[in-house]
Amino acid sequence: MNPEPVRTRLPVVAGLSVLGLAMIAFGALAVPPAQARTEPALIDYSGFVELSRDVAAYRETRLIDLATFNAMKADPDTIIIDARSARNYTLGHIDGAVNLNFSDFSAGMLSEVIGSKNRRILIYCNNNFTDNVAPVMLKSAPLALNVPTFINLYGYGYENIYELSGAYSISDPAIDWVSRPTYQEN
């Protein structure tokens, strides 16, 4: 048997493979710019700024003290939204609060968790607490989570929102803080 034909075909197959890969790469790079573009971004910064301006005065009328917050939370049709991370919520939260991470806000998720757009919603964030320890590490005041949470809920059509005003210690019994027990290994 003559092995020569096998050796002469190998360089041809390798050459065709390289040529094929080059054509694929060139084809990917040669996509006309009009075809390579995606749809315009679905981000409307000026709309957010305008919504924030529209909500500002309304939000000021919805800031409530701790006694009012606690009286409202006693109503079974009221929901307390904790928009912090699931980790921080698990480490501690106001008793009765439901965790809905801010990054998960969407029309469908809000509807699923809150239900009726008329339902009373109470919100709080890290900056409502003076402790500045995990799970309530203070944020820069202009970046406190209550602000975008309120604006987003309102923007999705939920207007029956109340926000805890002031700052308290999580050890204050009136806060009704629930913490996950921590264990130390011996």
Side-chain angles (χ1 to χ4, degrees), residues 19-62:
L19 181 62
L21 289 173
M23 290 178 66
I24 290 171
F26 178 75
L29 295 174
V31 174
Q35 291 177 347
R37 289 188 201 153
T38 60
E39 294 295 317
L42 299 176
I43 299 167
D44 182 4
Y45 179 76
S46 61
F48 177 78
V49 170
E50 184 179 335
L51 175 62
S52 299
R53 228 179 281 127
D54 293 346
V55 172
Y58 179 72
R59 180 181 163 267
E60 286 297 318
T61 68
R62 310 302 270 194

Side-chain angles (χ1 to χ4, degrees), residues 66 69 73 79-84 88-89 92-99 121-129 135-136 144-147 149 153 161-166 168 170 175-178:
L66 182 58
F69 186 94
K73 87 174 196 175
I79 186 168
I80 306 168
I81 298 290
D82 183 324
R84 298 174 306 137
N88 284 339
Y89 172 83
H93 58 272
I94 291 178
D95 192 30
V98 173
N99 183 233
I121 304 166
L122 303 179
I123 63 172
Y124 67 93
C125 78
N126 288 358
N127 285 29
N128 286 122
F129 305 102
V136 288
L145 190 55
N146 278 357
V147 175
T149 298
L153 287 168
I161 314 160
Y162 293 88
E163 178 183 329
L164 181 60
S165 180
Y168 313 88
I170 58 175
I175 288 293
D176 203 12
W177 192 255
V178 178

Side-chain angles (χ1 to χ4, degrees), residues 1 4 6-7 9 12 14 28 36 55 58 71 77 83 91 105 113 123 125 129-130 154 160 163 170 173:
M1 199 179 255
E4 188 62 33
V6 172
R7 276 190 266 153
R9 281 190 244 157
V12 172
V55 172
Y58 179 72
D77 194 41
L91 290 174
F105 278 26
V113 172
I123 63 172
C125 78
F129 305 102
T130 57
Y154 189 92
N160 197 9
E163 178 183 329
I170 58 175

Side-chain angles (χ1 to χ4, degrees), residues 96-119:
V98 173
N99 183 233
L100 178 56
N101 188 304
F102 179 74
S103 64
D104 291 334
F105 278 26
S106 67
M109 185 61 77
L110 291 170
S111 177
E112 182 181 322
V113 172
I114 299 170
S116 169
K117 290 191 176 185
N118 297 320
R119 187 173 189 188

